Amino acid sequence: MTNVSSDTESIKSMIVNIIDQNKGHDIVTFDVQNRTIIAKYMIITSGDSSRHVKALAEHIIKSLERHDKIDVEGMDEGNWVILNFQGIMVHIFRSEVREYYKIEELWN
């Protein structure tokens, strides 16, 4: 039997590493499991362009697809992509969109 908590931690670390290796910037993680039922962790990062945002999302999806189903929103536009995977929500923004929505302020 696997430990779900340690699996979630290792997947969260893997996602952060993928973002970092693919030049995502301003990576922020939040433990939100005591504040909401929608996720255990929230990862927020920025890309330089819509193409970069989509590429970051694609790298994460490709790495996680062998584990389980991943829900994806926003890939068409590439301004703000949301990935939801096993209690981890990943928000990938174009920098100016992230600045506009200031989503970190909701979780601080």
Side-chain angles (χ1 to χ4, degrees), residues 26-67:
D26 301 322
I27 305 166
V28 179
T29 62
F30 294 99
D31 181 335
V32 295
Q33 56 195 326
N34 293 325
R35 296 190 252 172
T36 182
I37 60 170
I38 64 170
K40 294 176 185 169
Y41 295 101
M42 195 84 54
I43 301 171
I44 303 169
T45 191
S46 298
D48 298 319
S49 65
S50 294
R51 181 178 284 174
H52 188 208
V53 168
K54 290 180 189 181
L56 287 168
E58 288 168 358
H59 286 294
I60 295 167
I61 292 166
K62 185 174 182 173
S63 296
L64 296 178
E65 68 187 358
R66 71 179 188 276
H67 294 284

Side-chain angles (χ1 to χ4, degrees), residues 83-97:
L83 308 175
N84 186 359
F85 181 78
Q86 294 185 356
I88 301 171
M89 292 197 71
V90 182
H91 297 264
I92 309 169
F93 291 92
R94 272 192 16 249
S95 295
E96 50 277 352
V97 175

